[in-house]
Amino acid sequence: MTESTLPRHIAIVMDGNGRWARQRFLPRMAGHQSGVEAARRIVKCCAKKNIKVLSLFAFSRENWRRPDQEVGYLMQLFLKSLEREVGMLHENNIQLRFIGDRQNFNPKLCDKIFEVENLTRANSGMILIMAMDYGGQWDICQATRQLAVQVERGELSSAAITPDHITSKLSFADLPDPDLFIRTSGELRLSNFMLWQLAYAELYFTNTLWPDFDEQALEAALSHFAGRERRFGQSSSDKPPLLGE
Ligand code: IPE
Ligand code: IPE
Ligand code: MG
């Protein structure tokens, strides 16, 4: 695969941890733990391939609806994984960013996020986005609120608002939109991930459960992507002449 057929930005909904554990008669938590290992593997792989941005959906706004025990365990796992992986990320020149609403995280996790973002801020390699307490609708909503404030202050007229204004207030404003969206575990939905930014992403779904997603599975997704013709609304490149010869 050449540089030009590689996606610049890959967005992944890492799904299927629970089912992976159930198949092995293990508690769900074991599935989440293996999910962290898979994430580590894929981060390293993508960095090696010079992917510019990798976005991982780790916890959705809707995931707060899970039982308290599972949510508590996940929060602990995020904190421990950050503590454990920060060295590897920094050594690999990876810049780590978090998107989502941090208000509901405990102070220890918030401090760690702040610390890790600061430590890796100047890294020039891959940008790794962790989406936590994130939702695409939340993102569009907070962007809209910011624009509404500008309108209230008379800095912007409502009639002048364009998609670019909205894009500029979203969490990924300075990054290219995802070229490739991957969802594991056979579910065919976006589950409120990056709704605005996925407008022209190529969608790839696989039955592989997230803890089993490895380098080979990533290669399969990348070769599907390399075979797609991205048209962005234009006519197909092998189109017949419009009016005949
Ligand atoms: C994804 O795996 C991890 C999170 C949403 C945190 P799930 O926990 O959703 O696994 P399934 O869908 O129950 O198999
Ligand atoms: C989406 O997975 C969120 C993450 C992977 C973090 P879910 O398992 O929560 O999605 P639904 O509920 O099946 O749509
Ligand atoms: Mg799931």
Side-chain angles (χ1 to χ4, degrees):
M1 232 163 291
T2 63
E3 277 279 302
S4 65
T5 53
L6 274 177
R8 277 180 312 170
H9 183 170
I10 303 177
I12 308 183
V13 175
M14 310 183 287
D15 197 14
N17 295 352
R19 277 161 285 172
W20 183 92
R22 197 171 58 217
Q23 283 175 0
R24 287 161 179 75
F25 306 101
L26 294 168
R28 290 182 65 81
M29 313 309 175
H32 291 315
Q33 223 154 5
S34 294
V36 171
E37 295 308 318
R40 178 176 216 275
R41 224 168 28 228
I42 295 308
V43 165
K44 279 185 142 179
C45 250
C46 287
K48 209 168 70 192
K49 286 180 177 299
N50 289 325
I51 299 295
K52 293 198 166 32
V53 188
L54 173 65
S55 298
L56 299 179
F57 203 7
F59 193 85
S60 71
R61 303 276 291 167
E62 292 75 22
N63 287 148
W64 293 110
R65 296 176 188 152
R66 293 189 179 200
D68 289 349
Q69 206 197 4
E70 181 171 359
V71 170
Y73 178 85
L74 281 168
M75 293 300 141
Q76 253 186 313
L77 186 64
F78 292 144
L79 181 62
K80 272 200 213 137
S81 308
L82 270 182
E83 285 169 351
R84 207 185 66 170
E85 305 298 346
V86 62
M88 178 278 279
L89 296 170
H90 196 40
E91 272 163 35
N92 282 279
N93 197 23
I94 293 169
Q95 186 189 125
L96 188 56
R97 293 198 209 169
F98 289 81
I99 56 155
D101 186 356
R102 297 179 194 184
Q103 282 177 33
N104 296 312
F105 293 150
N106 72 43
K108 242 180 144 177
L109 182 57
C110 285
D111 288 352
K112 195 77 208 165
I113 288 174
F114 186 72
E115 183 192 316
V116 170
E117 280 188 328
N118 265 335
L119 176 73
T120 63
R121 194 177 298 279
N123 288 350
S124 57
M126 186 174 83
I127 298 175
L128 172 62
I129 309 272
M130 294 303 297
M132 281 168 44
D133 198 8
Y134 175 82
Q137 291 174 342
W138 166 83
D139 206 5
I140 295 168
C141 197
Q142 65 79 23
T144 308
R145 235 179 267 130
Q146 291 185 56
L147 290 177
V149 169
Q150 283 184 275
V151 172
E152 277 168 5
R153 288 188 185 140
E155 294 163 7
L156 180 68
S157 108
S158 61
I161 294 175
T162 63
D164 285 346
H165 284 100
I166 298 173
T167 302
S168 73
K169 303 293 182 201
L170 292 171
S171 305
F172 303 88
D174 59 327
L175 300 174
D177 284 346
D179 305 293
L180 173 63
F181 167 91
I182 299 174
R183 182 169 187 148
T184 56
S185 88
E187 306 295 354
L188 306 180
R189 53 179 172 265
L190 304 180
S191 295
N192 199 11
F193 195 32
M194 295 172 81
L195 299 178
W196 180 274
Q197 299 90 339
L198 289 173
Y200 264 102
E202 297 296 326
L203 307 181
Y204 178 82
F205 298 96
T206 170
N207 287 331
T208 303
L209 301 173
W210 176 250
D212 292 328
F213 197 82
D214 57 10
E215 184 153 9
Q216 222 181 332
L218 179 68
E219 285 298 340
L222 291 174
S223 58
H224 267 267
F225 177 80
R228 304 264 178 100
E229 189 196 354
R230 305 190 73 196
R231 292 198 278 277
F232 299 99
Q234 296 174 23
S235 348
S236 145
S237 59
D238 59 355
K239 61 186 184 297
L242 185 60
L243 297 170
E245 292 301 324

